Amino acid sequence: MADETHTLHSLTLAAMARGLSGGDFTATELTRHLLARVETIGKDLNAFISVTADAALASAAKADKARASGKAGKLNGLPIVHKDLFCTRGVLTTCGSRMLENFVSPYDAAVVERLQDAGAIMLGKTNMDEFAMGSSNETSYFGAVKNPWDTSLSPGGSSGGSAAAVAARIVPAASGTDTGGSIRQPAALTGTVGIKPTYGRVSRYGMVAFASSLDQAGVITRSAEDAAMLLSVMAGFDPRDSTSVNHPVPDYVAGLAAPVKGLKIGIVRQHFDAGLDPQCATAVREALAALEAQGAVLTEVDLPNLDLSVPTYYVVAPAECSSNLSRFDGVRFGYRAEDPKDLMDLYCRSRGEGFGAEVKRRIMTGTYVLSAGYYDAYYLQAQKVRQLISEDFRNAFATVDVIAGPTAPTPAFAIGAKTDDPITMYLNDIYTIGANLAGLPGISIPCGFAGKLPVGLQLVGAHFAEQKLLACAHQYQQLTDWHEQGPEAFA
Amino acid sequence: MKSGWEVVIGLEIHCQLATRSKIFSGASTAYGADANVQACLVDLGYPGVLPVLNEEVVRMACKFGLAVNASISPRSVFARKNYFYPDLPKGYQISQYELPIVAGGELVIRLDDGSDKRIGITRAHLEEDAGKSVHEGFGQFSGIDLNRAGTPLLEIVSEPDMRSAAEAVAYMRKIHSIVRYLEISDGNMQEGSFRCDANVSVRPAGQQKLGTRTELKNLNSFRFVEKAINFEIARQIELLEDGGKVTQETRLYDSLRDETRPMRSKEEANDYRYFPDPDLLPVEIAADYIEHVRQTLPELPDAKKLRFTDQYGIRPDDAEILIVSRALADYFEMLAGETAATAQIAANWAIGELSAALNRDGLDIEQSRIPPAQLAGLLDRLTDQTISGKIAKEVFEAMWAGEGSADSIIDAKGLRQISDSSAIEAIVAKVIAAHPEQVAEYQSGKDKLIGFFVGQVMKESRGKANPEQVNEILRQKLQES
């Protein structure tokens, strides 16, 4: 037993589930083992903002009891960590911001609640770009997260803490949120699986809003199978979120067996333009060839307005964020400036001191594009382009099942390399943003290496085509072992 | 108003909808609770919470739209109106902006000269109310009470069709009456459930172009609307006649000083940055839903008035008064249905004695101390001449005081009218004997003295003698003596 528990962390979520139900180890043993890694490796990587060890051990004991009495839920005793913008009752929920440095949520987010109800055990809350605004995790008030593959590099963002924790085998699964690529890009940069479901598939209730029309919750795992297990529990209609969709939730795990043969995969020519790192391009092309060898049919599709997605996103997302973040005013919760001399001073200093530079940049951009005299030229125009981009995808999905390509233009980059130039940073999301603007599901899976750094393959599907994405990813993972390779330093 | 000037007024009425829970949360809307106990996480604008539309407000807005012959938008959109204020928890108010739920209605008001006037309704949209800032009792700080935050409002915007403060008040009363008929608002003005902003401008008579307007904020009684507008009209005319210019601004009415004055310009310099709220879906309303709502509409004031004059034959002016409140109209109908008295007598009593008593005691019609069936009993005795009109008023007061039914009071107090001619003849004989001088005068041609004799007989009978018989017997006996 001792030998077995020594390598528990290397198991996938599915393997852990089998081990728990087979009685190979208990939830308490598993939790204790992983908490030790949270405390050590988690700290080294700066992947966590909060660790909820006591509550986790209490939940583990309960899970063991439930299993003994035959009342084990779907995810009974399985570990999870949450990105720190999911509200967790009685636990700090900081959003990586000084503004919420001391904010303890009085309620649980829908995602947290659903996973907990299925028996999952929360070990802690992960670091992230402040209010999910960033692609490198460097905008966090709690400092940058390190990439387990090379600790001088960024794990990407904004769900960087979640991706790093999974990549370093601290936990097999972490929740994330994706507004412009915040699950898929860090998954690509850390060699993990990251899925962003269809907009409306998972409830946003209790997810602190960045850009409400783009935000969607998902997971980062090491295998497509694990992602399917979690998504089956997380997905579904929630009357507390008016934008959640009442659409049946299939058994994503059962659907994994669907073969790739005959799957029509669309390739977008612009994805392989000069902006893409050549080594990444090679890895992605090889992955596509492997799928083709299994019987998938590759065809070229055109997304004529794709190059407008980044500018469109950087109008829509800041506009919504400028309004969403107005509630952080120092009046009812969160950071409040000391000794304000009047109301305006309270507002200005609480927000001035509570928010970091990138958040302020986006609030100002968003305020500008919504202002009288600029609204039509920016916000309204962006909404029109967003429609065009959605139509491009709709047309493409009339002929193909999924669109495949690179997740990010480069492998992981050095911490500090892009912080001086927001535009270069924004371009990191060039391949992922389209799915958010169109509300489509997307998944990133490891597909090889550029040097010693992992490369991600992105699959995007039509609305509610998560099952196709997961099956395709799972079948690919039956052929390859990229997803089983982890950073040696944290084996 | 000074001649040579035309006044142009438009009203924005904020009507609180009578839902049990708030427009976007499940918190209660009940008035008068301790501060901040009726504000849930959604109302407090906590991180991560989301608004969910209360379907009841949609139904209520549809009812209103149909009642004023407006069109119900098949698709309306909630937008965010962004501004910072401590009693606005999210930093934005959710309101309908470009696509309101109700568009293009109208209603008819009755003017003082008895003529009717049509007033256009531009739109009515749904929005949430803000909380309340409390500036007393917290030293150098202000308190915030968020109980009201998220209370559903229907903002009803009129066309600039009114030409005097009196017309504006008549319009506001009409809207008040309609929302109460529809039971979509309690219309309670003291509690702020029904209030309005008035846009006022003046222009030289005959000029097409509108003058510069000012907006008078938060008028919460009919009297204040009238006074504030009249003050503002006089102020603007005086300003223009002195060669000055009206500044477009928002002004507050100070009821203590009876004047309007500008709000601080800072409070006006907002660019609200409206945009569609991405947390809420557009409200889509199907035609069959609208039809379904239409089936639930009650009879509205105008239709009721027509019916009252047709069916009951009462005077149009009386019908106008009876229909202002649905409850008063219902009372009248029950009364008219139960009594043998004519409908006009029932109307007279409902408008007269009953309304006076209610007013005196500050009661609503629903709280009347005399239910319609009991009042009907009184009017029956009046009609069958058991008592006179004068005695009836006395009995009414006794009934109001809770002394019992009309019949039991009449019997207990011995108020039955004397219709026995021999009894009346005896009293008449006594009166004639006691006033020989007046008898002589009468007989020499001073006919008017008949009133004096009737009065004496009534006094002697303590009001119980049948006045018609008294008259007849007196004339006969005075001739004879």
Side-chain angles (χ1 to χ4, degrees), chain A residues 195 250 252 255-256 258-260 263-264 397 400-402 441 443 459-475:
Chain A
I195 185 164
Y252 293 117
L256 294 173
V260 169
L263 189 75
K264 288 185 218 132
F397 286 119
V400 298
D401 296 308
V402 299
I443 190 169
L459 306 172
V460 173
H463 290 113
F464 298 104
E466 284 83 0
Q467 196 153 20
K468 272 185 193 164
L469 302 185
L470 288 164
C472 180
H474 179 70
Q475 294 304 318

PDB file of all heavy atoms in Angstrom, chain A residues 195 250 252 255-256 258-260 263-264 397 400-402 441 443 459-475:
ATOM      1  N   ILE A 195     -10.713  22.102 -21.704  1.00  0.00           N
ATOM      2  CA  ILE A 195     -11.941  22.235 -22.519  1.00  0.00           C
ATOM      3  C   ILE A 195     -12.771  23.437 -22.079  1.00  0.00           C
ATOM      4  O   ILE A 195     -12.990  23.658 -20.887  1.00  0.00           O
ATOM      5  CB  ILE A 195     -12.799  20.941 -22.495  1.00  0.00           C
ATOM      6  CG1 ILE A 195     -13.998  21.099 -23.450  1.00  0.00           C
ATOM      7  CG2 ILE A 195     -13.251  20.569 -21.085  1.00  0.00           C
ATOM      8  CD1 ILE A 195     -14.681  19.801 -23.809  1.00  0.00           C
ATOM      9  N   PRO A 250     -25.424  14.847 -22.449  1.00  0.00           N
ATOM     10  CA  PRO A 250     -25.147  13.440 -22.748  1.00  0.00           C
ATOM     11  C   PRO A 250     -24.139  12.873 -21.750  1.00  0.00           C
ATOM     12  O   PRO A 250     -23.519  13.610 -20.992  1.00  0.00           O
ATOM     13  CB  PRO A 250     -24.542  13.491 -24.147  1.00  0.00           C
ATOM     14  CG  PRO A 250     -23.978  14.860 -24.291  1.00  0.00           C
ATOM     15  CD  PRO A 250     -24.735  15.769 -23.375  1.00  0.00           C
ATOM     16  N   TYR A 252     -20.872  12.052 -21.444  1.00  0.00           N
ATOM     17  CA  TYR A 252     -19.681  12.310 -22.261  1.00  0.00           C
ATOM     18  C   TYR A 252     -18.685  11.146 -22.210  1.00  0.00           C
ATOM     19  O   TYR A 252     -17.965  10.898 -23.163  1.00  0.00           O
ATOM     20  CB  TYR A 252     -18.993  13.605 -21.813  1.00  0.00           C
ATOM     21  CG  TYR A 252     -19.814  14.851 -22.087  1.00  0.00           C
ATOM     22  CD1 TYR A 252     -20.265  15.655 -21.049  1.00  0.00           C
ATOM     23  CD2 TYR A 252     -20.133  15.227 -23.387  1.00  0.00           C
ATOM     24  CE1 TYR A 252     -21.018  16.796 -21.289  1.00  0.00           C
ATOM     25  CE2 TYR A 252     -20.886  16.364 -23.650  1.00  0.00           C
ATOM     26  CZ  TYR A 252     -21.322  17.153 -22.590  1.00  0.00           C
ATOM     27  OH  TYR A 252     -22.054  18.268 -22.848  1.00  0.00           O
ATOM     28  N   GLY A 255     -19.654   8.492 -24.562  1.00  0.00           N
ATOM     29  CA  GLY A 255     -19.480   8.931 -25.946  1.00  0.00           C
ATOM     30  C   GLY A 255     -18.043   8.892 -26.441  1.00  0.00           C
ATOM     31  O   GLY A 255     -17.790   9.108 -27.634  1.00  0.00           O
ATOM     32  N   LEU A 256     -17.087   8.620 -25.561  1.00  0.00           N
ATOM     33  CA  LEU A 256     -15.673   8.670 -25.942  1.00  0.00           C
ATOM     34  C   LEU A 256     -15.302   7.604 -26.968  1.00  0.00           C
ATOM     35  O   LEU A 256     -14.319   7.743 -27.698  1.00  0.00           O
ATOM     36  CB  LEU A 256     -14.782   8.489 -24.692  1.00  0.00           C
ATOM     37  CG  LEU A 256     -14.846   9.614 -23.666  1.00  0.00           C
ATOM     38  CD1 LEU A 256     -14.049   9.223 -22.419  1.00  0.00           C
ATOM     39  CD2 LEU A 256     -14.304  10.907 -24.253  1.00  0.00           C
ATOM     40  N   ALA A 258     -16.671   6.779 -29.672  1.00  0.00           N
ATOM     41  CA  ALA A 258     -16.959   7.054 -31.087  1.00  0.00           C
ATOM     42  C   ALA A 258     -15.663   7.140 -31.891  1.00  0.00           C
ATOM     43  O   ALA A 258     -14.756   7.891 -31.516  1.00  0.00           O
ATOM     44  CB  ALA A 258     -17.749   8.359 -31.199  1.00  0.00           C
ATOM     45  N   PRO A 259     -15.576   6.389 -32.983  1.00  0.00           N
ATOM     46  CA  PRO A 259     -14.328   6.366 -33.742  1.00  0.00           C
ATOM     47  C   PRO A 259     -14.116   7.649 -34.546  1.00  0.00           C
ATOM     48  O   PRO A 259     -15.069   8.361 -34.854  1.00  0.00           O
ATOM     49  CB  PRO A 259     -14.494   5.165 -34.672  1.00  0.00           C
ATOM     50  CG  PRO A 259     -15.970   5.006 -34.832  1.00  0.00           C
ATOM     51  CD  PRO A 259     -16.594   5.493 -33.559  1.00  0.00           C
ATOM     52  N   VAL A 260     -12.855   7.882 -34.896  1.00  0.00           N
ATOM     53  CA  VAL A 260     -12.484   9.063 -35.684  1.00  0.00           C
ATOM     54  C   VAL A 260     -12.847   8.860 -37.154  1.00  0.00           C
ATOM     55  O   VAL A 260     -13.041   9.818 -37.891  1.00  0.00           O
ATOM     56  CB  VAL A 260     -10.962   9.312 -35.511  1.00  0.00           C
ATOM     57  CG1 VAL A 260     -10.475  10.346 -36.504  1.00  0.00           C
ATOM     58  CG2 VAL A 260     -10.663   9.735 -34.082  1.00  0.00           C
ATOM     59  N   LEU A 263     -14.824  11.158 -39.516  1.00  0.00           N
ATOM     60  CA  LEU A 263     -14.971  12.501 -38.926  1.00  0.00           C
ATOM     61  C   LEU A 263     -14.411  13.537 -39.896  1.00  0.00           C
ATOM     62  O   LEU A 263     -13.281  13.403 -40.374  1.00  0.00           O
ATOM     63  CB  LEU A 263     -14.215  12.563 -37.590  1.00  0.00           C
ATOM     64  CG  LEU A 263     -14.433  13.817 -36.753  1.00  0.00           C
ATOM     65  CD1 LEU A 263     -15.799  13.797 -36.087  1.00  0.00           C
ATOM     66  CD2 LEU A 263     -13.333  13.969 -35.707  1.00  0.00           C
ATOM     67  N   LYS A 264     -15.206  14.545 -40.175  1.00  0.00           N
ATOM     68  CA  LYS A 264     -14.741  15.585 -41.114  1.00  0.00           C
ATOM     69  C   LYS A 264     -14.056  16.698 -40.333  1.00  0.00           C
ATOM     70  O   LYS A 264     -14.691  17.380 -39.530  1.00  0.00           O
ATOM     71  CB  LYS A 264     -15.916  16.123 -41.928  1.00  0.00           C
ATOM     72  CG  LYS A 264     -16.401  15.126 -42.956  1.00  0.00           C
ATOM     73  CD  LYS A 264     -17.479  15.747 -43.833  1.00  0.00           C
ATOM     74  CE  LYS A 264     -18.554  14.709 -44.156  1.00  0.00           C
ATOM     75  NZ  LYS A 264     -19.901  15.208 -43.953  1.00  0.00           N
ATOM     76  N   PHE A 397     -19.217  24.850 -40.239  1.00  0.00           N
ATOM     77  CA  PHE A 397     -19.747  23.626 -39.628  1.00  0.00           C
ATOM     78  C   PHE A 397     -20.880  22.993 -40.449  1.00  0.00           C
ATOM     79  O   PHE A 397     -21.385  21.934 -40.104  1.00  0.00           O
ATOM     80  CB  PHE A 397     -20.186  23.880 -38.182  1.00  0.00           C
ATOM     81  CG  PHE A 397     -19.021  24.023 -37.259  1.00  0.00           C
ATOM     82  CD1 PHE A 397     -18.800  25.186 -36.546  1.00  0.00           C
ATOM     83  CD2 PHE A 397     -18.103  22.972 -37.121  1.00  0.00           C
ATOM     84  CE1 PHE A 397     -17.709  25.321 -35.709  1.00  0.00           C
ATOM     85  CE2 PHE A 397     -17.008  23.098 -36.283  1.00  0.00           C
ATOM     86  CZ  PHE A 397     -16.805  24.270 -35.584  1.00  0.00           C
ATOM     87  N   VAL A 400     -18.073  20.573 -42.063  1.00  0.00           N
ATOM     88  CA  VAL A 400     -17.145  19.765 -41.247  1.00  0.00           C
ATOM     89  C   VAL A 400     -17.700  19.546 -39.843  1.00  0.00           C
ATOM     90  O   VAL A 400     -18.590  20.275 -39.394  1.00  0.00           O
ATOM     91  CB  VAL A 400     -15.733  20.426 -41.150  1.00  0.00           C
ATOM     92  CG1 VAL A 400     -15.101  20.544 -42.520  1.00  0.00           C
ATOM     93  CG2 VAL A 400     -15.812  21.778 -40.443  1.00  0.00           C
ATOM     94  N   ASP A 401     -17.154  18.549 -39.140  1.00  0.00           N
ATOM     95  CA  ASP A 401     -17.583  18.248 -37.779  1.00  0.00           C
ATOM     96  C   ASP A 401     -16.801  19.056 -36.756  1.00  0.00           C
ATOM     97  O   ASP A 401     -17.358  19.511 -35.756  1.00  0.00           O
ATOM     98  CB  ASP A 401     -17.378  16.751 -37.479  1.00  0.00           C
ATOM     99  CG  ASP A 401     -18.240  15.878 -38.363  1.00  0.00           C
ATOM    100  OD1 ASP A 401     -19.457  16.122 -38.418  1.00  0.00           O
ATOM    101  OD2 ASP A 401     -17.687  14.969 -39.018  1.00  0.00           O
ATOM    102  N   VAL A 402     -15.516  19.160 -36.978  1.00  0.00           N
ATOM    103  CA  VAL A 402     -14.672  19.950 -36.077  1.00  0.00           C
ATOM    104  C   VAL A 402     -13.674  20.741 -36.907  1.00  0.00           C
ATOM    105  O   VAL A 402     -13.394  20.396 -38.059  1.00  0.00           O
ATOM    106  CB  VAL A 402     -13.890  19.076 -35.055  1.00  0.00           C
ATOM    107  CG1 VAL A 402     -14.830  18.301 -34.151  1.00  0.00           C
ATOM    108  CG2 VAL A 402     -12.924  18.150 -35.743  1.00  0.00           C
ATOM    109  N   PRO A 441     -17.763  25.399 -28.457  1.00  0.00           N
ATOM    110  CA  PRO A 441     -16.877  24.636 -27.576  1.00  0.00           C
ATOM    111  C   PRO A 441     -15.505  24.431 -28.228  1.00  0.00           C
ATOM    112  O   PRO A 441     -15.414  24.303 -29.454  1.00  0.00           O
ATOM    113  CB  PRO A 441     -17.602  23.290 -27.434  1.00  0.00           C
ATOM    114  CG  PRO A 441     -18.357  23.135 -28.725  1.00  0.00           C
ATOM    115  CD  PRO A 441     -18.748  24.539 -29.137  1.00  0.00           C
ATOM    116  N   ILE A 443     -11.406  22.579 -27.391  1.00  0.00           N
ATOM    117  CA  ILE A 443     -10.567  21.796 -26.486  1.00  0.00           C
ATOM    118  C   ILE A 443      -9.126  21.882 -26.975  1.00  0.00           C
ATOM    119  O   ILE A 443      -8.874  21.961 -28.179  1.00  0.00           O
ATOM    120  CB  ILE A 443     -11.055  20.319 -26.427  1.00  0.00           C
ATOM    121  CG1 ILE A 443     -10.348  19.543 -25.317  1.00  0.00           C
ATOM    122  CG2 ILE A 443     -10.861  19.614 -27.770  1.00  0.00           C
ATOM    123  CD1 ILE A 443     -10.978  18.164 -25.048  1.00  0.00           C
ATOM    124  N   LEU A 459      -9.225  21.743 -31.003  1.00  0.00           N
ATOM    125  CA  LEU A 459     -10.388  21.301 -31.774  1.00  0.00           C
ATOM    126  C   LEU A 459     -11.560  22.185 -31.372  1.00  0.00           C
ATOM    127  O   LEU A 459     -11.820  22.381 -30.181  1.00  0.00           O
ATOM    128  CB  LEU A 459     -10.732  19.841 -31.442  1.00  0.00           C
ATOM    129  CG  LEU A 459      -9.620  18.805 -31.594  1.00  0.00           C
ATOM    130  CD1 LEU A 459     -10.078  17.455 -31.043  1.00  0.00           C
ATOM    131  CD2 LEU A 459      -9.191  18.666 -33.056  1.00  0.00           C
ATOM    132  N   VAL A 460     -12.226  22.737 -32.368  1.00  0.00           N
ATOM    133  CA  VAL A 460     -13.411  23.569 -32.096  1.00  0.00           C
ATOM    134  C   VAL A 460     -14.602  22.906 -32.769  1.00  0.00           C
ATOM    135  O   VAL A 460     -14.477  22.404 -33.887  1.00  0.00           O
ATOM    136  CB  VAL A 460     -13.199  25.003 -32.634  1.00  0.00           C
ATOM    137  CG1 VAL A 460     -14.487  25.825 -32.514  1.00  0.00           C
ATOM    138  CG2 VAL A 460     -12.062  25.693 -31.880  1.00  0.00           C
ATOM    139  N   GLY A 461     -15.729  22.882 -32.077  1.00  0.00           N
ATOM    140  CA  GLY A 461     -16.917  22.234 -32.642  1.00  0.00           C
ATOM    141  C   GLY A 461     -18.089  23.183 -32.746  1.00  0.00           C
ATOM    142  O   GLY A 461     -18.023  24.340 -32.302  1.00  0.00           O
ATOM    143  N   ALA A 462     -19.164  22.696 -33.322  1.00  0.00           N
ATOM    144  CA  ALA A 462     -20.404  23.477 -33.395  1.00  0.00           C
ATOM    145  C   ALA A 462     -21.013  23.539 -31.989  1.00  0.00           C
ATOM    146  O   ALA A 462     -20.566  22.844 -31.079  1.00  0.00           O
ATOM    147  CB  ALA A 462     -21.375  22.817 -34.361  1.00  0.00           C
ATOM    148  N   HIS A 463     -22.038  24.362 -31.816  1.00  0.00           N
ATOM    149  CA  HIS A 463     -22.680  24.473 -30.509  1.00  0.00           C
ATOM    150  C   HIS A 463     -23.095  23.101 -29.984  1.00  0.00           C
ATOM    151  O   HIS A 463     -23.679  22.316 -30.720  1.00  0.00           O
ATOM    152  CB  HIS A 463     -23.917  25.376 -30.595  1.00  0.00           C
ATOM    153  CG  HIS A 463     -23.558  26.809 -30.813  1.00  0.00           C
ATOM    154  ND1 HIS A 463     -23.851  27.484 -31.965  1.00  0.00           N
ATOM    155  CD2 HIS A 463     -22.894  27.692 -30.029  1.00  0.00           C
ATOM    156  CE1 HIS A 463     -23.409  28.721 -31.881  1.00  0.00           C
ATOM    157  NE2 HIS A 463     -22.812  28.882 -30.718  1.00  0.00           N
ATOM    158  N   PHE A 464     -22.756  22.830 -28.763  1.00  0.00           N
ATOM    159  CA  PHE A 464     -23.100  21.582 -28.058  1.00  0.00           C
ATOM    160  C   PHE A 464     -22.468  20.327 -28.684  1.00  0.00           C
ATOM    161  O   PHE A 464     -22.949  19.224 -28.474  1.00  0.00           O
ATOM    162  CB  PHE A 464     -24.624  21.424 -27.940  1.00  0.00           C
ATOM    163  CG  PHE A 464     -25.235  22.542 -27.149  1.00  0.00           C
ATOM    164  CD1 PHE A 464     -25.927  23.563 -27.778  1.00  0.00           C
ATOM    165  CD2 PHE A 464     -25.072  22.589 -25.769  1.00  0.00           C
ATOM    166  CE1 PHE A 464     -26.447  24.624 -27.051  1.00  0.00           C
ATOM    167  CE2 PHE A 464     -25.603  23.638 -25.040  1.00  0.00           C
ATOM    168  CZ  PHE A 464     -26.294  24.657 -25.683  1.00  0.00           C
ATOM    169  N   ALA A 465     -21.354  20.524 -29.410  1.00  0.00           N
ATOM    170  CA  ALA A 465     -20.658  19.369 -30.000  1.00  0.00           C
ATOM    171  C   ALA A 465     -19.507  18.908 -29.104  1.00  0.00           C
ATOM    172  O   ALA A 465     -18.541  18.304 -29.576  1.00  0.00           O
ATOM    173  CB  ALA A 465     -20.154  19.721 -31.395  1.00  0.00           C
ATOM    174  N   GLU A 466     -19.610  19.171 -27.792  1.00  0.00           N
ATOM    175  CA  GLU A 466     -18.552  18.746 -26.863  1.00  0.00           C
ATOM    176  C   GLU A 466     -18.225  17.270 -27.029  1.00  0.00           C
ATOM    177  O   GLU A 466     -17.062  16.859 -26.949  1.00  0.00           O
ATOM    178  CB  GLU A 466     -18.990  18.984 -25.407  1.00  0.00           C
ATOM    179  CG  GLU A 466     -18.931  20.421 -24.927  1.00  0.00           C
ATOM    180  CD  GLU A 466     -20.164  21.210 -25.324  1.00  0.00           C
ATOM    181  OE1 GLU A 466     -21.063  20.645 -25.976  1.00  0.00           O
ATOM    182  OE2 GLU A 466     -20.225  22.413 -24.987  1.00  0.00           O
ATOM    183  N   GLN A 467     -19.272  16.490 -27.259  1.00  0.00           N
ATOM    184  CA  GLN A 467     -19.065  15.050 -27.323  1.00  0.00           C
ATOM    185  C   GLN A 467     -18.122  14.670 -28.475  1.00  0.00           C
ATOM    186  O   GLN A 467     -17.253  13.809 -28.309  1.00  0.00           O
ATOM    187  CB  GLN A 467     -20.418  14.361 -27.508  1.00  0.00           C
ATOM    188  CG  GLN A 467     -20.355  12.895 -27.211  1.00  0.00           C
ATOM    189  CD  GLN A 467     -21.709  12.358 -26.759  1.00  0.00           C
ATOM    190  OE1 GLN A 467     -22.740  12.971 -27.019  1.00  0.00           O
ATOM    191  NE2 GLN A 467     -21.685  11.235 -26.094  1.00  0.00           N
ATOM    192  N   LYS A 468     -18.309  15.341 -29.605  1.00  0.00           N
ATOM    193  CA  LYS A 468     -17.431  15.070 -30.756  1.00  0.00           C
ATOM    194  C   LYS A 468     -15.993  15.447 -30.427  1.00  0.00           C
ATOM    195  O   LYS A 468     -15.054  14.734 -30.786  1.00  0.00           O
ATOM    196  CB  LYS A 468     -17.893  15.891 -31.965  1.00  0.00           C
ATOM    197  CG  LYS A 468     -18.937  15.187 -32.801  1.00  0.00           C
ATOM    198  CD  LYS A 468     -19.265  16.006 -34.042  1.00  0.00           C
ATOM    199  CE  LYS A 468     -20.523  15.440 -34.689  1.00  0.00           C
ATOM    200  NZ  LYS A 468     -21.110  16.361 -35.652  1.00  0.00           N
ATOM    201  N   LEU A 469     -15.828  16.598 -29.768  1.00  0.00           N
ATOM    202  CA  LEU A 469     -14.469  17.056 -29.434  1.00  0.00           C
ATOM    203  C   LEU A 469     -13.799  16.072 -28.477  1.00  0.00           C
ATOM    204  O   LEU A 469     -12.639  15.699 -28.657  1.00  0.00           O
ATOM    205  CB  LEU A 469     -14.516  18.441 -28.772  1.00  0.00           C
ATOM    206  CG  LEU A 469     -15.158  19.578 -29.566  1.00  0.00           C
ATOM    207  CD1 LEU A 469     -15.006  20.895 -28.790  1.00  0.00           C
ATOM    208  CD2 LEU A 469     -14.510  19.712 -30.939  1.00  0.00           C
ATOM    209  N   LEU A 470     -14.554  15.668 -27.464  1.00  0.00           N
ATOM    210  CA  LEU A 470     -13.987  14.775 -26.455  1.00  0.00           C
ATOM    211  C   LEU A 470     -13.655  13.411 -27.066  1.00  0.00           C
ATOM    212  O   LEU A 470     -12.602  12.827 -26.774  1.00  0.00           O
ATOM    213  CB  LEU A 470     -14.961  14.627 -25.279  1.00  0.00           C
ATOM    214  CG  LEU A 470     -15.074  15.864 -24.376  1.00  0.00           C
ATOM    215  CD1 LEU A 470     -16.323  15.783 -23.499  1.00  0.00           C
ATOM    216  CD2 LEU A 470     -13.812  16.011 -23.503  1.00  0.00           C
ATOM    217  N   ALA A 471     -14.546  12.919 -27.926  1.00  0.00           N
ATOM    218  CA  ALA A 471     -14.303  11.610 -28.544  1.00  0.00           C
ATOM    219  C   ALA A 471     -13.071  11.669 -29.442  1.00  0.00           C
ATOM    220  O   ALA A 471     -12.201  10.783 -29.389  1.00  0.00           O
ATOM    221  CB  ALA A 471     -15.536  11.179 -29.339  1.00  0.00           C
ATOM    222  N   CYS A 472     -12.984  12.736 -30.237  1.00  0.00           N
ATOM    223  CA  CYS A 472     -11.840  12.880 -31.134  1.00  0.00           C
ATOM    224  C   CYS A 472     -10.552  12.968 -30.315  1.00  0.00           C
ATOM    225  O   CYS A 472      -9.541  12.307 -30.626  1.00  0.00           O
ATOM    226  CB  CYS A 472     -12.033  14.112 -32.012  1.00  0.00           C
ATOM    227  SG  CYS A 472     -10.698  14.400 -33.170  1.00  0.00           S
ATOM    228  N   ALA A 473     -10.594  13.770 -29.262  1.00  0.00           N
ATOM    229  CA  ALA A 473      -9.413  13.922 -28.402  1.00  0.00           C
ATOM    230  C   ALA A 473      -9.050  12.596 -27.744  1.00  0.00           C
ATOM    231  O   ALA A 473      -7.875  12.206 -27.676  1.00  0.00           O
ATOM    232  CB  ALA A 473      -9.686  14.988 -27.325  1.00  0.00           C
ATOM    233  N   HIS A 474     -10.068  11.894 -27.281  1.00  0.00           N
ATOM    234  CA  HIS A 474      -9.820  10.614 -26.603  1.00  0.00           C
ATOM    235  C   HIS A 474      -9.223   9.593 -27.572  1.00  0.00           C
ATOM    236  O   HIS A 474      -8.255   8.894 -27.249  1.00  0.00           O
ATOM    237  CB  HIS A 474     -11.133  10.074 -26.027  1.00  0.00           C
ATOM    238  CG  HIS A 474     -10.991   8.759 -25.331  1.00  0.00           C
ATOM    239  ND1 HIS A 474     -10.337   8.627 -24.118  1.00  0.00           N
ATOM    240  CD2 HIS A 474     -11.378   7.506 -25.696  1.00  0.00           C
ATOM    241  CE1 HIS A 474     -10.352   7.350 -23.763  1.00  0.00           C
ATOM    242  NE2 HIS A 474     -10.981   6.643 -24.695  1.00  0.00           N
ATOM    243  N   GLN A 475      -9.779   9.531 -28.775  1.00  0.00           N
ATOM    244  CA  GLN A 475      -9.258   8.586 -29.765  1.00  0.00           C
ATOM    245  C   GLN A 475      -7.808   8.915 -30.104  1.00  0.00           C
ATOM    246  O   GLN A 475      -6.973   8.022 -30.230  1.00  0.00           O
ATOM    247  CB  GLN A 475     -10.133   8.587 -31.025  1.00  0.00           C
ATOM    248  CG  GLN A 475     -11.542   8.045 -30.797  1.00  0.00           C
ATOM    249  CD  GLN A 475     -11.546   6.632 -30.216  1.00  0.00           C
ATOM    250  OE1 GLN A 475     -10.752   5.774 -30.628  1.00  0.00           O
ATOM    251  NE2 GLN A 475     -12.396   6.381 -29.240  1.00  0.00           N
TER     252      GLN A 475
END
